[in-house]
Amino acid sequence: MQTYSPEGIEAFRAYAVAAEEEHQMAHELAQCAKIEKYALLSADLFARVNAARSKTLAAFKAVERFKI
């Protein structure tokens, strides 16, 4: 017997994927800070981190619908 609805499972899965993408972008930004070309790459990376963060927040809002 399954306890969670398929929609809830998919919402949690989407959140996990979005959170992992955000983590990867933040890690890439941190690694970029170690090199001399940081000023050239940082604007693009910040934009990608912000986009990933937006996806994470949207996915979390979907998860919150299943809060009891």
Side-chain angles (χ1 to χ4, degrees):
M1 180 176 180
Q2 190 171 4
T3 306
Y4 301 103
S5 69
E7 297 85 15
I9 292 170
E10 184 54 37
F12 278 99
R13 186 174 296 131
Y15 174 69
V17 168
E20 176 61 25
E21 180 182 337
E22 180 182 358
H23 175 78
Q24 288 175 356
M25 290 297 103
H27 178 72
E28 189 175 335
L29 182 61
Q31 294 303 310
C32 179
K34 297 178 183 179
I35 63 173
E36 293 178 14
K37 305 291 184 197
Y38 178 72
L40 298 175
L41 301 172
S42 64
D44 174 57
L45 286 173
F46 273 111
R48 290 170 49 202
V49 169
N50 283 331
R53 181 67 180 154
S54 295
K55 287 181 188 176
T56 302
L57 291 173
F60 187 73
K61 285 186 182 226
V63 167
E64 282 187 316
R65 292 188 342 209
F66 299 96
K67 184 169 49 177
I68 296 175

